[in-house]
Amino acid sequence: MTLKLGILGIDHGHIFGMLAHMLGHGCTCEMWWTDGPAVTRDKFVATYPALTEVTDRRRILDDPSIDMVLISAVPADRARLAIEAMEAGKDVMVDKPGVTDADDLARLRAVQARTGRIWSVNFSERFQVPAVAMAETLVAEGAIGRVVQVLGLGPHKQNLATRPEWFFDRARYGGILCDIGSHQIDQFLHFTGATDAKIAHALVENTTIPDRPGFQDFGEIVLRAPEGHGYIRVDWFTPRGLPTWGDGRLFLQGTEGQIELRKYAQVGEAHMTDQLFLVNGTENRRIDCRETPLPYFPRLIADVRDRSETAMPQAHAFAASALAIEAQAMAERAHG
């Protein structure tokens, strides 16, 4: 099945990966819309010159030939646009965070249940990382036994010169735990097999840009579930010397072994992505995962065709989003 796509919002650079991977699996796209200026505009137009920008998003929503909408608008606007798309009969792939507000999440749940459309959050730190795809295979094969603890680190560079105003506005980007912390919550739930969790601790701070009180540069979460435990640290402290945007890592502790993922960098070495380290009862090895296929995108296309949930269960998308919103609120209550 070939899907025809439409785009609502290009405000975050994740739209490039979302669209490129879907086009790479045979999808087509003709039209895009965004709400006002976007820092990605020049690059997007240069990368996809054949696509037509429309000034009225109803051109996309009312086009019966469009099967799925990709959304990478300002985070606070994503839920509203996803609701419009589902009401118009479209399935949705939305950049993370898919939603930044508990009330919007409740509305999303209701509309998704009523329409039966797919609302899939593209957690790119899982779905667009070959090393994570390899880890999924190894865990499913029992290489480290049952996963009992997940430690996720999501450091980022600030790159302030290229950041739009909404990046500093808490109401617009959703807070650091809701935003980049949602990646780590998704991975905790996925690798432990938990469907929900308790937030034992949540914290946010702004220590580097005091003249931007809405900005948060550090956050952490402790998660507990019957299936396992989790610790999450996210920040905007990555030094300029690192040859990429952040040294994202994931540690999986199993009952019979452990896995470490160095997703985007090898500190002290030439730039190299997607290295996995496996230790168990019989193995102690490093696996280069750069050529490992990414299953999320073909699975999502199949889900649209078959009305299935192989890419990501719908309940999981809602659970990860709810926990991110809850952790953000808990941290801000404690910090305030």
Side-chain angles (χ1 to χ4, degrees):
M1 177 182 182
T2 299
L3 302 185
K4 186 174 180 180
L5 310 172
I7 296 172
L8 298 181
I10 62 167
D11 295 271
H12 197 291
H14 286 159
I15 189 60
F16 292 96
M18 294 162 66
L19 180 57
H21 283 290
M22 293 296 278
L23 294 178
H25 286 281
C27 297
T28 64
C29 184
E30 296 175 358
M31 293 187 289
W32 63 280
W33 169 90
T34 201
D35 187 12
V39 296
T40 58
R41 176 182 293 275
D42 290 347
K43 180 181 176 181
F44 190 84
V45 171
T47 305
Y48 299 107
L51 272 60
T52 300
E53 180 182 9
V54 297
T55 57
D56 183 353
R57 65 181 179 273
R58 294 305 320 181
R59 288 269 309 274
I60 294 171
L61 294 171
D62 294 340
D63 186 338
S65 70
I66 292 177
D67 304 290
M68 171 170 275
V69 168
L70 310 186
I71 299 174
S72 192
V74 175
D77 298 335
R78 293 172 187 172
R80 171 178 55 84
L81 294 171
I83 287 171
E84 288 184 0
M86 289 190 288
E87 294 278 19
K90 316 298 185 190
D91 293 313
V92 171
M93 181 209 292
V94 61
D95 186 15
K96 68 78 223 163
V99 55
T100 61
D101 176 83
D103 291 338
D104 282 346
L105 178 59
R107 284 187 280 271
L108 276 169
R109 288 182 186 270
V111 171
Q112 190 281 322
R114 175 166 50 80
T115 63
R117 308 318 304 179
I118 294 169
W119 182 75
S120 187
V121 182
N122 178 18
F123 293 111
S124 56
E125 291 192 24
R126 174 158 70 101
F127 295 139
Q128 292 180 216
V129 177
V132 180
M134 176 62 73
E136 290 178 338
T137 297
L138 292 169
V139 169
E141 291 174 349
I144 60 170
R146 183 173 67 86
V147 175
V148 296
Q149 205 263 356
V150 176
L151 190 159
L153 306 179
H156 288 61
K157 285 183 179 176
Q158 290 184 358
N159 290 333
L160 299 181
T162 63
R163 299 296 183 180
E165 277 301 307
W166 61 260
F167 177 78
F168 304 96
D169 185 344
R170 161 64 182 84
R172 300 294 282 153
Y173 75 87
I176 191 171
L177 298 182
C178 186
D179 180 15
I180 56 179
S182 65
H183 281 301
Q184 313 303 327
I185 293 171
D186 159 69
Q187 290 166 99
F188 166 80
L189 294 176
H190 177 71
F191 280 107
T192 62
T195 57
D196 200 359
K198 298 292 184 182
I199 300 169
H201 165 75
L203 178 144
V204 295
E205 291 181 348
N206 175 7
T207 61
T208 57
I209 313 181
D211 59 328
R212 295 281 196 165
F215 182 66
Q216 297 165 356
D217 56 21
F218 181 85
E220 62 182 2
I221 308 171
V222 175
L223 295 165
R224 294 176 182 168
E227 295 83 359
H229 305 279
Y231 173 78
I232 291 166
R233 191 201 82 208
V234 289
D235 64 69
W236 292 96
F237 293 154
T238 295
R240 292 183 180 180
L242 195 74
T244 187
W245 56 265
D247 182 18
R249 301 199 190 193
L250 185 70
F251 299 80
L252 306 176
Q253 181 61 56
T255 55
E256 299 174 28
Q258 59 196 43
I259 287 173
E260 176 189 347
L261 305 183
R262 300 182 187 178
K263 298 180 179 181
Y264 312 113
Q266 280 283 79
V267 175
E269 299 183 17
H271 182 44
M272 181 185 297
T273 66
D274 293 289
Q275 301 302 296
L276 182 151
F277 299 81
L278 169 67
V279 181
N280 59 20
T282 59
E283 296 181 279
N284 174 25
R285 62 180 174 132
R286 169 176 165 178
I287 304 173
D288 187 339
C289 305
R290 285 175 288 181
E291 300 302 318
T292 303
L294 300 172
Y296 170 74
F297 300 95
R299 287 174 181 172
L300 185 58
I301 292 168
D303 288 341
V304 173
R305 177 192 65 213
D306 301 332
R307 310 317 297 169
S308 52
E309 298 186 9
T310 63
M312 176 172 58
Q314 188 62 73
H316 175 99
F318 286 133
S321 300
L323 284 168
I325 291 170
E326 181 184 349
Q328 186 69 46
M330 178 186 293
E332 290 176 349
R333 286 194 302 269
H335 189 65

